[in-house]
């Protein structure tokens, strides 16, 4: 089944819980959904949530524009939990303090920065995010990232434009966040990422991705400003793949050369 959102602007004050096999499609940026729901840092405006891991979503969200119209909101625009085979494409998402898209499996328990953790036994597969524009989603105060993910195998993120450079200093969060991500077979390609040149008192990551288990490839992207990729985690192993990380044919570029005084934590193209 498909829910078709006609051109127009619609204000939503309640979350949408989307059943498996149900798509949402609009007519592009003229199909605007304005989100004005109570603060909730762990719940989405649109929820694709199942109780059993590897539930076959067999669904897509496409050709809509989702905008948070209450700056205090911590809500996630689209939350995908314990579902596989979900495609999110040709969407525009603006101004969510939580995340634009949270796409996760079972969150393993862990304690502290170098504390205990449990490697997942099940991974969500067949999920994809592409041809989208995501702007000013994720505030460092709330953690997470514009795309927040874990427990994914073969997640594809490609042909998107990401900007986290429109908030006040130290409030431009990560774009890609999978620090306890347990990722494998991740492919990130043909994207453009933009951050402020610096954040004066904190890390300024574009991507912070850790605990990876092989086959992760990053290529043909543009990383503008900040720390391009931080993959310096507790474990990076190749597992059954031929490599742990393969990072090639990317552009890492700063708007200008920074001074030592401005370099709060260190400026890296790739940190590992």
């Amino acid at each position: 089944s498909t829910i078709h959102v006609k051109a127009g602007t619609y204000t939503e004050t309640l979350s949408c819980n989307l059943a498996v096999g149900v798509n949402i499609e609009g007519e592009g940026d003229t199909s605007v959904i304005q989100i004005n729901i109570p603060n909730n840092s762990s719940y989405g405006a649109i929820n694709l949530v199942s109780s059993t891991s590897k539930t076959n979503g067999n669904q897509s969200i496409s050709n809509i524009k989702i905008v948070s119209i209450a700056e205090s909101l911590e809500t996630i625009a689209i939350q995908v939990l314990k579902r596989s085979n979900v495609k999110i494409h040709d969407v525009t998402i603006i101004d969510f303090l939580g995340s634009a898209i949270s796409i996760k499996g079972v969150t393993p328990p862990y304690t502290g920065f170098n504390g205990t953790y449990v490697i997942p036994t099940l991974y969500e597969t067949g999920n994809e995010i592409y041809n989208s524009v995501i702007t000013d989603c994720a505030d460092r105060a709330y953690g997470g990232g514009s795309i927040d993910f874990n427990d994914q195998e073969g997640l594809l993120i490609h042909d998107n434009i990401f900007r986290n450079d429109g908030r006040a200093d130290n409030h431009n969060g990560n774009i890609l966040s999978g620090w306890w991500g347990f990722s494998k077979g991740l492919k990130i390609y043909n994207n453009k990422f933009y951050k402020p040149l610096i954040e004066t008192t904190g890390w300024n990551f574009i991507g912070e991705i850790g605990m990876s288990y092989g086959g992760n490839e990053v290529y043909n992207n543009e990383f503008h400003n900040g720390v391009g990729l931080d993959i310096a985690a507790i474990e990076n192993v190749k597992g059954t793949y031929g490599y742990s990380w393969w990072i090639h044919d990317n552009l890492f570029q700063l708007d200008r050369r920074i001074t030592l005084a401005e370099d709060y934590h260190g400026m890296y193209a790739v940190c590992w």
Side-chain angles (χ1 to χ4, degrees):
S1 300
T2 297
I3 299 168
H4 185 84
V5 183
K6 296 185 67 175
T9 299
Y10 310 92
T11 300
E12 295 292 341
T13 58
L14 297 173
S15 295
C16 166
N17 297 317
L18 203 64
V20 297
V22 179
N23 309 307
I24 297 177
E25 69 171 14
E27 299 179 5
D29 278 358
T30 58
S31 298
V32 181
I33 301 175
Q34 296 184 144
I35 304 301
N36 186 4
I37 64 178
N39 285 357
N40 191 329
S41 60
S42 62
Y43 207 61
I46 301 174
N47 295 288
L48 292 71
V49 174
S50 294
S51 58
T52 303
S53 296
K54 293 190 68 64
T55 296
N56 183 13
N58 188 29
Q59 60 196 137
S60 66
I61 297 177
S62 64
N63 291 295
I64 57 173
K65 183 175 183 178
I66 311 173
V67 182
S68 172
I69 60 172
E71 183 63 19
S72 63
L73 287 179
E74 302 170 27
T75 305
I76 300 160
I78 301 172
Q79 179 178 219
V80 182
L81 180 62
K82 299 183 183 178
R83 285 195 192 175
S84 295
N85 299 315
V86 174
K87 314 294 184 186
I88 301 172
H89 65 91
D90 296 281
V91 299
T92 298
I93 304 176
I94 301 173
D95 244 0
F96 284 82
L97 293 186
S99 298
I101 301 169
S102 173
I103 187 162
K104 296 184 176 183
V106 178
T107 302
Y110 63 89
T111 305
F113 183 77
N114 290 317
T116 59
Y117 57 90
V118 176
I119 300 171
T121 57
L122 294 174
Y123 289 82
E124 304 304 326
T125 58
N127 293 325
E128 188 172 3
I129 302 166
Y130 63 96
N131 287 353
S132 296
V133 178
I134 296 176
T135 304
D136 291 335
C137 292
D139 188 316
R140 288 194 66 84
Y142 303 108
S146 297
I147 307 297
D148 198 7
F149 59 92
N150 71 13
D151 299 4
Q152 302 291 312
E153 181 170 13
L155 174 64
L156 304 179
I157 302 173
H158 64 92
D159 295 283
N160 303 288
I161 298 174
F162 297 98
R163 300 199 75 106
N164 268 12
D165 58 2
R167 297 189 181 279
D169 184 36
N170 298 313
H171 288 278
N172 297 282
N174 295 352
I175 293 177
L176 302 176
S177 184
W179 178 246
W180 290 90
F182 301 94
S183 308
K184 57 183 179 178
L186 173 69
K187 305 293 182 186
I188 302 170
Y189 58 95
N190 297 347
N191 302 285
K192 295 182 179 181
F193 301 95
Y194 299 88
K195 288 292 298 286
L197 181 67
I198 56 172
E199 297 272 61
T200 58
T201 61
W203 285 103
N204 187 24
F205 296 122
I206 289 176
E208 187 178 17
I209 306 169
M211 303 296 292
S212 63
Y213 288 89
N216 296 321
E217 185 178 9
V218 183
Y219 64 96
N220 287 348
N221 301 284
E222 295 183 13
F223 296 87
H224 295 271
N225 297 321
V227 177
L229 287 172
D230 175 20
I231 57 173
I234 298 167
E235 282 192 336
N236 280 312
V237 299
K238 70 184 185 70
T240 59
Y241 292 85
Y243 51 85
S244 173
W245 285 89
W246 185 18
I247 301 171
H248 62 94
D249 297 286
N250 300 285
L251 170 69
F252 296 90
Q253 180 171 293
L254 302 180
D255 285 346
R256 62 171 174 81
R257 179 174 292 181
I258 65 171
T259 67
L260 287 175
E262 293 174 310
D263 192 0
Y264 180 73
H265 268 306
M267 192 68 71
Y268 309 91
V270 180
C271 178
W272 55 10

